[in-house]
């Protein structure tokens, strides 16, 4: 029985950490899954070393970080994994499993300046124009791309977008982001137009029970998955002749970049993106921000186009 005590103790730690993330941190299912995967990597390494998380020292964690590098995991992914490891050890200290945090002096790999891939407004237009709207899913796919670009949503936020959270008359949508935190995001007239086209198609569909409130559905009447949207966007980029490696997140980056180039304030962009830390948003400051202003809505190209047509 004594032989198996460390293993049972480790399982108890992970269960306690999972409850902490769920109940006290309000972690979403995706965030929870990512953090637990990071912990699993660490535990597998420590198990090979014959140690439990209670016994792990800084040198063990440095060896773990070195192994991540040796097996070919990139610097950015290493940083993300080590962030999860730090969270785990902070919890162990806070919850009384350890009397110290061995990650306090653990260094992450130095990242070179990395600018996210972005699409110009013209490239987004090309992406949408390449879609065959004679197909049942055509108008849906155009609406997906336009909402991602016009509202800067995460793909997880898009797949969970509900009809009950659309306020077309006020031109806002209610979004539930990481940790189920709510925010209101303006939606452009162009995006609403594409949604109207999709809703005409959607109204003819047989929708599965419990799926009626989801905005975007597949052919079987169930809400889309993140993978479906990723595949669609990558295929559409090929159709449009776009050489960049893009994903749904590229459209979110493009949203933020378009706003900043137009003169929007970085902190307003932070709120619209749902970033808790302004540092996350500051990746966009490679663009000249000398003309930043307080207003935001009129700075996005979709809204500028809409206002110009109205005039």
């Amino acid at each position: 029985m004594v032989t198996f005590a460390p293993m049972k103790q480790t399982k108890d730690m992970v269960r306690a950490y999972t409850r902490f993330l769920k109940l006290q941190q309000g972690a979403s299912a995706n965030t929870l899954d990512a953090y637990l995967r990071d912990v699993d990597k660490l535990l597998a390494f420590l198990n090979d070393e014959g140690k439990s998380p209670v016994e792990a020292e800084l040198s063990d964690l440095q060896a773990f970080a070195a192994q991540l590098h040796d097996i070919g995991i990139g610097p950015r992914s290493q940083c993300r994994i080590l962030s999860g490891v730090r969270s785990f050890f902070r919890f162990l200290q806070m919850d009384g499993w350890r009397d110290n945090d061995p990650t306090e002096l653990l260094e992450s790999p130095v990242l070179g300046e990395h600018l996210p891939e972005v699409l110009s407004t013209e490239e987004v237009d090309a992406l949408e124009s390449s879609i065959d709207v004679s197909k049942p899913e055509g108008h849906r796919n155009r609406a997906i791309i336009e909402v991602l670009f016009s509202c800067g949503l995460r793909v997880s936020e898009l797949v969970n977008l509900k009809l009950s959270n659309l306020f077309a008359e006020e031109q806002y949508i209610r979004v539930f982001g990481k940790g189920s935190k709510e925010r209101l995001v303006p939606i452009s007239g162009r995006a609403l137009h594409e949604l109207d086209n999709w809703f005409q198609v959607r109204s003819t569909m047989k929708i599965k029970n419990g799926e009626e409130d989801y905005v975007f559905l597949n052919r079987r009447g169930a809400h889309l998955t993140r993978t479906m949207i990723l595949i669609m966007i990558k295929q559409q980029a090929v159709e449009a002749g776009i050489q960049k490696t893009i994903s749904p997140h590229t459209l979110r980056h493009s949203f933020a970049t378009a706003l900043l180039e137009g003169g929007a304030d970085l902190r307003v962009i932070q709120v619209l993106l749902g970033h808790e830390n302004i540092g996350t948003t500051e990746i966009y400051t490679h663009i000249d921000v000398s003309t930043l202003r307080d207003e935001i809505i009129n700075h996005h190209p979709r809204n500028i186009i809409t206002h110009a047509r109205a005039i």
Side-chain angles (χ1 to χ4, degrees):
M1 293 295 291
V2 175
T3 305
F4 294 98
M7 184 178 294
K8 180 181 183 302
Q9 183 188 54
T10 297
K11 289 181 178 179
D12 290 341
M13 287 179 198
V14 173
R15 278 195 289 266
Y17 181 55
T18 302
R19 288 195 298 271
F20 169 76
L21 291 175
K22 282 183 178 179
L23 303 178
Q24 294 191 41
Q25 298 295 303
S28 68
N30 291 333
T31 299
L32 183 65
D33 184 56
Y35 272 69
L36 293 180
R37 282 201 308 269
D38 296 336
V39 170
D40 284 344
K41 291 182 179 70
L42 171 71
L43 295 181
F45 174 83
L46 291 176
N47 185 62
D48 289 343
E49 298 295 309
K51 290 193 173 183
S52 75
V54 170
E55 301 165 323
E57 300 175 356
L58 175 60
S59 58
D60 300 310
L61 301 181
Q62 289 170 332
F64 171 67
Q67 186 189 72
L68 296 177
H69 172 79
D70 292 343
I71 63 177
I73 295 178
R76 192 163 295 277
S77 294
Q78 291 177 44
C79 287
R80 185 193 56 74
I81 293 168
L82 294 179
S83 175
V85 168
R86 289 188 183 90
S87 171
F88 179 58
F89 278 104
R90 282 196 296 268
F91 165 76
L92 294 184
Q93 182 184 22
M94 179 188 70
D95 211 44
W97 296 91
R98 295 182 58 112
D99 59 8
N100 68 337
D101 177 4
T103 68
E104 287 181 345
L105 298 177
L106 181 63
E107 295 182 354
S108 291
V110 177
L111 296 176
E113 185 178 359
H114 173 74
L115 304 182
E117 194 83 88
V118 297
L119 296 176
S120 66
T121 306
E122 292 73 22
E123 286 173 318
V124 176
D125 288 339
L127 200 62
E128 294 177 0
S129 297
S130 68
I131 295 173
D132 184 356
V133 293
S134 68
K135 295 181 179 179
E137 68 274 16
H139 284 298
R140 180 201 68 190
N141 292 348
R142 280 182 66 104
I144 286 171
I145 291 170
E146 188 56 45
V147 171
L148 286 171
F149 177 57
S150 289
C151 301
L153 303 189
R154 300 178 178 95
V155 67
S156 58
E157 296 168 347
L158 183 97
V159 298
N160 290 305
L161 187 62
K162 305 287 183 65
L163 294 172
S164 55
N165 291 322
L166 294 179
F167 305 96
E169 187 173 339
E170 296 84 1
Q171 292 195 311
Y172 274 89
I173 59 174
R174 181 188 291 122
V175 179
F176 294 92
K178 291 185 176 181
S180 298
K181 292 184 177 178
E182 177 185 333
R183 69 184 190 277
L184 292 175
V185 179
I187 184 168
S188 70
R190 170 71 172 267
L192 289 170
H193 172 72
E194 297 295 349
L195 282 171
D196 283 341
N197 289 337
W198 157 237
F199 290 153
Q200 291 178 39
V201 177
R202 188 184 182 281
S203 65
T204 66
M205 297 176 60
K206 183 177 180 181
I207 301 173
K208 288 187 175 181
N209 289 337
E211 304 286 289
E212 296 88 354
D213 199 25
Y214 285 98
V215 172
F216 295 110
L217 305 172
N218 60 27
R219 293 182 182 183
R220 296 178 297 280
H223 69 279
L224 296 175
T225 65
R226 296 186 302 166
T227 302
M228 290 176 185
I229 294 176
L230 173 64
I231 292 171
M232 180 273 288
I233 287 177
K234 284 187 174 294
Q235 288 177 341
Q236 215 54 57
V238 173
E239 292 288 331
I242 294 173
Q243 301 298 315
K244 298 174 181 177
T245 301
I246 71 169
S247 69
H249 211 67
T250 307
L251 291 161
R252 178 169 159 88
H253 285 313
S254 303
F255 162 84
T257 301
L259 283 171
L260 195 57
E261 285 182 323
D265 187 274
L266 197 63
R267 291 197 178 274
V268 180
I269 297 174
Q270 176 191 359
V271 172
L272 290 174
L273 290 173
H275 286 163
E276 285 195 22
N277 191 328
I278 189 65
T280 310
T281 314
E282 284 174 348
I283 192 170
Y284 301 104
T285 57
H286 65 284
I287 298 165
D288 178 15
V289 294
S290 60
T291 59
L292 288 183
R293 295 183 289 276
D294 293 332
E295 298 299 324
I296 184 167
I297 304 307
N298 293 331
H299 299 311
H300 193 283
R302 288 301 190 225
N303 291 292
I304 293 170
I305 292 169
T306 302
H307 294 323
R309 287 175 179 166
I311 292 171

